[in-house]
Amino acid sequence: MPKPDTADAPGALLYFEDEAPAALRLANATGLAPHRVESHRFPDGEIQLTLPAHLPPRVVLLRSLHQPGDKLTELLLAAPTARQLGAQHISLVAPYLAYMRQDMAFAPGQAVSQRIVGAWLATLFDALITVDPHLHRVATLAEAVPARQAITLSAAPLLGDWIAQHRPGAFLLGPDSESAQWVTQAAAAHGLQHAVCSKVRHGDHAVAITLPPCDLRGQVVVLLDDVASSGHTLATAAALALAAGAASVDVAVTHALLAGDALQRIHAAGVGEFWSTDSIAHASNVVGLAALLAGALNEIQVGHDGALLSHPA
C-alpha cells in the first residue's frame, strides 16, 4: 500500500512495526501522517522507544492491545514522550482493548483490572477509541476508561454485511447472552433470523451451553461473537447446532485472539469458515475497520493548539 502524502496532514499517526499495514490503512482513511515508533529491546528486557523528534499538536497512537504486557509499557513510555515533543491532544486507537473483562472482585484480594487499567489509560490519553469492548456489568466505556472521550464502536453491522453477502439468509446464533447486542445489530440491516444460547462458565476451559428454543434443522448457521479466545464456547455451540440439524456452521467475530490451538478446536467441532475483522492481524481477517475508526477520529475536532473543540455524542 502506498504511503499517504504527509505534507498537509491534519496530525500524526504513531504506530509500531507489527501493525504497519493497519496503520497505513488508517492513515489513508484519515489523512493523518503516519510515523513509525522505533522500538529497541535491551538484553535485560527493558524497552527503548524513539518517536519523531517533532510532533504536531494532534497525535493519534494506534495500538491494539492483545498480548498486552509489553504494549502497556509502550503506552507508558510513548504518551508522555509525545507530549514532550509537541503533542497537545493524544488519542489512543485500540481496536482491541485489554483488561476489560474483570470489572469486580470475585474473591477477596482480587485486583479489579478494568478499573485500574482504565483509570491509568485516562491519565495518558485525552481520547480512547475501541471496537466492541468486552464489558460485562459496566454499561459504558466511559465508566471503565474515564478519559475526556471514551468512544465505543461496533463491527457487528460490518460483520452482518459480510455474512449477508457470503451466507444469504443465514441464521445468526449468539453463543451466550452477552453476544445478544452484536447478534441483534448484525441481523438488523438484513432481516436475518437470530437467537442466543445460554451459557454457564465453569472455568477458562469449561463451559455448559444450552441452545435457544428454535428449529435449526437445515439452517445455515453463523455463530457471531465479539471475541474468540480459547475457542471452547464457540466449539461447544457449533457442535450443538450441528447436532440439532444445522446444515452448516460458520463463525464471525470482531477480535480473533485465538490463544493456542483455539482455531483448530473450533474447526474440529465442525465449523466451516472462520471470519474476523482486522482489529487483530490474522489470516482470518475479512472485514477492515479503517473506515469505521476514521469516522470516529474525523468527528473529533481539535484546534491548531490541540484543544478539543467537539466530539461525537
Side-chain angles (χ1 to χ4, degrees):
M1 182 179 293
K3 189 172 182 178
D5 181 9
T6 63
D8 298 312
L13 173 64
L14 300 180
Y15 68 94
F16 291 80
E17 177 61 28
D18 61 306
E19 292 186 306
L24 294 182
R25 290 192 292 269
L26 184 57
N28 275 312
T30 58
L32 295 167
H35 297 279
R36 188 176 70 194
V37 177
E38 302 294 339
S39 179
H40 172 75
R41 184 180 294 275
F42 292 103
D44 64 359
E46 290 186 6
I47 297 172
Q48 179 189 67
L49 300 184
T50 303
L51 280 62
H54 303 285
L55 288 171
R58 185 187 189 187
V59 167
V60 174
L61 175 60
L62 173 67
R63 203 58 171 141
S64 207
L65 294 176
H66 55 293
Q67 299 296 321
D70 284 347
K71 294 177 183 179
L72 294 179
T73 300
E74 291 168 351
L75 301 186
L76 171 67
L77 299 174
T81 303
R83 294 194 191 277
Q84 293 169 11
L85 297 170
Q88 297 180 31
H89 185 281
I90 308 178
S91 300
L92 172 63
V93 175
Y96 176 73
L97 183 59
Y99 284 109
M100 291 295 104
R101 62 166 55 89
Q102 182 141 12
D103 54 14
M104 64 178 291
F106 298 98
Q110 279 188 347
V112 183
S113 55
Q114 181 192 93
R115 191 179 304 156
I116 296 166
V117 173
W120 174 69
L121 290 174
T123 68
L124 294 176
F125 298 97
D126 301 287
L128 183 145
I129 298 172
T130 191
V131 182
D132 292 333
H134 201 66
L135 304 177
H136 295 282
R137 286 154 291 273
V138 172
T140 66
L141 181 64
E143 295 175 62
V145 186
R148 292 169 64 186
Q149 306 134 285
I151 300 169
T152 300
L153 305 174
S154 180
L158 299 177
L159 289 169
D161 292 344
W162 175 269
I163 293 165
Q165 180 181 355
H166 292 83
R167 296 291 186 270
F171 189 107
L172 300 191
L173 185 63
D176 55 30
S177 60
E178 292 170 353
S179 65
Q181 57 184 307
W182 298 295
V183 169
T184 302
Q185 288 183 67
H190 303 282
L192 299 176
Q193 296 182 75
H194 58 283
V196 174
C197 300
S198 301
K199 181 177 77 172
V200 177
R201 180 173 291 280
H202 301 292
D204 290 343
H205 304 293
V207 294
I209 289 178
T210 303
L211 288 175
C214 57
D215 188 0
L216 296 181
R217 288 175 296 179
Q219 294 281 9
V220 174
V221 172
V222 177
L223 284 165
L224 182 70
D225 208 356
D226 62 331
V227 172
S229 183
S230 71
H232 284 89
T233 295
L234 290 168
T236 302
L240 288 172
L242 290 168
S248 64
V249 176
D250 301 299
V251 168
V253 301
T254 301
H255 308 296
L257 288 175
L258 297 173
D261 61 353
L263 188 56
Q264 294 93 315
R265 178 177 297 109
I266 290 167
H267 285 306
V271 168
E273 297 293 329
F274 182 94
W275 301 309
S276 67
T277 79
D278 63 355
S279 70
I280 297 169
H282 188 266
S284 64
N285 295 165
V286 294
V287 172
L289 297 178
L292 182 68
L293 296 169
L297 284 168
N298 289 338
E299 289 185 33
I300 299 175
Q301 300 298 318
V302 180
H304 293 296
D305 62 352
L308 174 69
L309 299 180
S310 65
H311 62 86

